[in-house]
Amino acid sequence: VVSFPFEDVYIDRRHILHTLPKREEKIVFYFALLTASLGIGGIRAIVCPLSAYSLEDCGPKELLSFFNWFHWLVNLNSAVVFVSISYIQQSVARNLGFLIPFVSGLMGMITVHMVRGEMIYKPKTDSSLLTTFGVIFSALKACCVRYRYFSTGVTNWLDHAKENHGGQYSETQVEGTKSLARLFPLFTFQILYRTCIMQIPSGYYLQTMNSNLHFSGFVLPVAAMNVISIVPLLILVPILECINSWLFSSKDNGHSPTIYIVVGHLSAALSVMVAGFSEMHRKRFPQVEQTLSEEVLLVSSMPCFHLAPQYILLGVAEALVTPSCSLLSFWLVPERMRGISMHFLALFNGAGCFMGAFFVQTAHTGTQGNWFPHLLHEGKLERFFFFLASLMMVNTLGFWTIAHRYNNLHQDCTNEFRGCLPGEKLLKYEKAIKHYNAVLESSPILSPMEKT
């Protein structure tokens, strides 16, 4: 509500409802952005893991199918929003474009409150985030002390936090933290990828705003170009479902989605590179006047649909990368750590947004506005895109070198994590001893002395 453009909320043009000075308007507006970011972060970190907890007994095939369709539904909603609300906000009334999300959010809160009894999940007591950080800090502290005074014989530095190595945490808690730490390289390589995805509301948005939005006498909303990046995802998900069904059924050892992540990263790098060439192509067209939100701007006469390839490539990347990363984050950790793992994935995705803002500010300041200019026809925005594309290619090669760590999902899940707990190891040993004794008792070859 407080993010309304204040000069646009009026009874008539002679009676403005809000007369706040510009400074107070900015304070209220940034406060609204802060509250919106807190809400979005909470939804992304909680809703998806909460929905997937009902699939704890399912295998990677079912989980990948769940995450595919989950993100498919999310993007279907986004497509409706970008087409309808963005048009209302740009061509009908800006304040109405803010009022619709407010009413829908209020209805969503009422609905959640009505069914809250069916949405409560109580996590295990030994799987808190404080426990995870405690294991890490305890291991770091023990590493520093023992490296300085004693020689160590543990295979992993986190083992220093175990009780049988002088720490204060159980083997179950440490092994769960080790499985989470194993995913940190995967999370880290998603930061730069998320920076490329964030070009849609930043660099790509500026390109679209400075292009010709007229189509058959109709002015397209700038945000409607986002739908072009969503359409490939809506089309690819059913196709990927068929491919996954065939791959999981044709291999006994399972199928790793890391190949999807590598191809998605390549698609994101190619998208940013195409954006650089599109910017060079856009500048060759003569400038024309275009009215957006009652403001007249000088823009390129190039139709905005010439920018479609870069949006499509990012849509393909999202269809491949996001569900696969969600599957790996959820499956490659013990059940009690899955919520924390999904939270870390959302945290690193948010870090990618900050990295994108840092790159933009650095490019603008370091080149004195040349690489990221205020007026696109006076600068070299394509150089920024080419620089980001080169970084993304290096990022893709880096992830490809470590992708083998996340292959063979069935073996990782059944052997490494389920079999790492001391109780399960003891049960396995007891079964082996019983089987061995049964063989000794039933064997006619061994003499009584040999049996003894």
Side-chain angles (χ1 to χ4, degrees):
V1 174
V2 297
S3 60
F4 276 32
F6 292 97
E7 71 278 2
D8 195 35
V9 184
Y10 50 79
I11 300 175
D12 56 49
R13 297 194 177 275
R14 294 174 299 174
H15 298 86
I16 307 296
L17 294 185
H18 295 281
T19 57
L20 288 177
K22 289 294 181 181
R23 183 175 179 274
E24 280 73 8
E25 283 187 14
K26 288 184 177 180
I27 293 175
V28 175
F29 180 73
Y30 285 117
F31 176 76
L33 290 181
L34 176 63
T35 55
S37 64
L38 292 175
I40 293 171
I43 290 174
R44 289 183 176 178
I46 294 174
V47 170
C48 189
L50 186 64
S51 304
Y53 278 130
S54 60
L55 303 173
E56 287 184 343
D57 298 329
C58 298
K61 175 185 175 181
E62 291 78 11
L63 282 173
L64 184 58
S65 177
F66 166 79
F67 286 117
N68 273 327
W69 289 112
F70 178 87
H71 292 290
W72 186 86
L73 287 172
V74 169
N75 283 273
L76 180 63
N77 293 334
S78 300
V80 175
V81 169
F82 286 132
V83 171
S84 59
I85 296 182
S86 60
Y87 171 74
I88 294 173
Q89 190 172 9
Q90 179 172 303
S91 303
V92 180
R94 281 183 287 180
N95 52 0
L96 189 59
F98 289 112
L99 184 62
I100 294 175
F102 165 72
V103 174
S104 63
L106 184 62
M107 294 175 62
M109 287 190 291
I110 295 174
T111 304
V112 170
H113 180 73
M114 293 172 62
V115 298
R116 68 189 185 280
E118 301 177 4
M119 300 180 66
I120 296 176
Y121 176 82
K122 190 174 182 180
K124 305 292 175 58
T125 56
D126 61 342
S127 61
S128 68
L129 191 62
L130 291 177
T131 301
T132 302
F133 284 122
V135 170
I136 296 175
F137 290 140
S138 177
L140 287 174
K141 182 180 178 181
C143 282
C144 294
V145 173
R146 298 190 181 191
Y147 177 78
R148 185 173 180 180
Y149 297 104
F150 306 101
S151 61
T152 178
V154 298
T155 57
N156 190 293
W157 64 276
L158 285 172
D159 290 334
H160 290 295
K162 292 182 179 180
E163 293 174 341
N164 55 352
H165 287 96
Q168 53 183 342
Y169 293 93
S170 66
E171 184 172 355
T172 301
Q173 294 171 330
V174 175
E175 291 296 332
T177 305
K178 286 168 64 175
S179 66
L180 179 63
R182 183 171 176 260
L183 292 175
F184 280 173
L186 170 68
F187 296 155
T188 303
F189 281 106
Q190 301 312 307
I191 293 178
L192 198 58
Y193 164 76
R194 192 56 53 181
T195 300
C196 294
I197 296 297
M198 288 306 297
Q199 293 309 305
I200 290 182
S202 56
Y204 291 6
Y205 182 90
L206 292 177
Q207 280 185 299
T208 306
M209 188 178 67
N210 286 271
S211 302
N212 187 6
L213 295 172
H214 290 84
F215 177 72
S216 300
F218 179 77
V219 180
L220 294 173
V222 179
M225 290 294 293
N226 291 21
V227 180
I228 299 178
S229 67
I230 296 175
V231 169
L233 190 145
L234 300 179
I235 297 175
L236 280 176
V237 165
I239 298 175
L240 291 175
E241 277 296 293
C242 298
I243 296 175
N244 293 332
S245 298
W246 176 76
L247 288 174
F248 275 101
S249 61
S250 62
K251 295 182 179 181
D252 296 332
N253 59 348
H255 166 66
S256 175
T258 52
I259 184 64
Y260 291 157
I261 300 178
V262 173
V263 176
H265 283 189
L266 286 174
S267 181
L270 185 59
S271 171
V272 181
M273 185 177 298
V274 170
F277 288 112
S278 299
E279 179 63 16
M280 297 171 63
H281 176 66
R282 188 188 64 82
K283 293 179 181 178
R284 297 192 181 102
F285 286 80
Q287 290 185 325
V288 295
E289 290 186 351
Q290 182 170 262
T291 302
L292 287 178
S293 299
E294 301 179 357
E295 294 184 12
V296 179
L297 303 175
L298 276 177
V299 300
S300 172
S301 59
M302 183 193 79
C304 61
F305 292 108
H306 288 198
L307 304 174
Q310 63 199 57
Y311 283 91
I312 292 175
L313 288 170
L314 274 189
V316 171
E318 273 289 85
L320 296 173
V321 174
T322 303
S324 301
C325 286
S326 299
L327 170 64
L328 294 177
S329 303
F330 191 85
W331 179 253
L332 294 181
V333 293
E335 292 180 0
R336 64 189 180 279
M337 299 290 296
R338 286 175 171 175
I340 298 175
S341 178
M342 298 296 289
H343 295 163
F344 270 101
L345 178 62
L347 178 65
F348 277 82
N349 287 340
C353 302
F354 281 100
M355 182 68 72
F358 173 77
F359 279 170
V360 169
Q361 185 62 36
T362 303
H364 178 76
T365 305
T367 63
Q368 298 179 352
N370 188 31
W371 280 23
F372 217 95
H374 294 290
L375 300 176
L376 292 192
H377 63 276
E378 295 180 356
K380 300 290 184 181
L381 182 61
E382 63 272 11
R383 296 181 180 178
F384 173 78
F385 286 141
F386 290 145
F387 173 72
L388 185 58
S390 61
L391 290 180
M392 190 60 203
M393 285 299 300
V394 175
N395 186 81
T396 304
L397 292 175
F399 177 76
W400 180 70
T401 59
I402 68 165
H404 64 276
R405 302 182 186 180
Y406 311 106
N407 291 336
N408 203 352
L409 295 181
H410 289 287
Q411 182 178 0
D412 285 347
C413 179
T414 56
N415 295 343
E416 184 172 353
F417 299 132
R418 268 73 173 164
C420 69
L421 302 183
E424 296 177 358
K425 285 183 178 180
L426 183 60
L427 182 62
K428 189 182 298 182
Y429 293 152
E430 289 177 353
K431 290 182 179 179
I433 292 173
K434 290 180 181 179
H435 176 73
Y436 179 68
N437 290 334
V439 171
L440 292 179
E441 293 294 333
S442 61
S443 176
I445 301 175
L446 299 178
S447 65
M449 183 62 68
E450 289 171 328
K451 290 182 180 180
T452 305

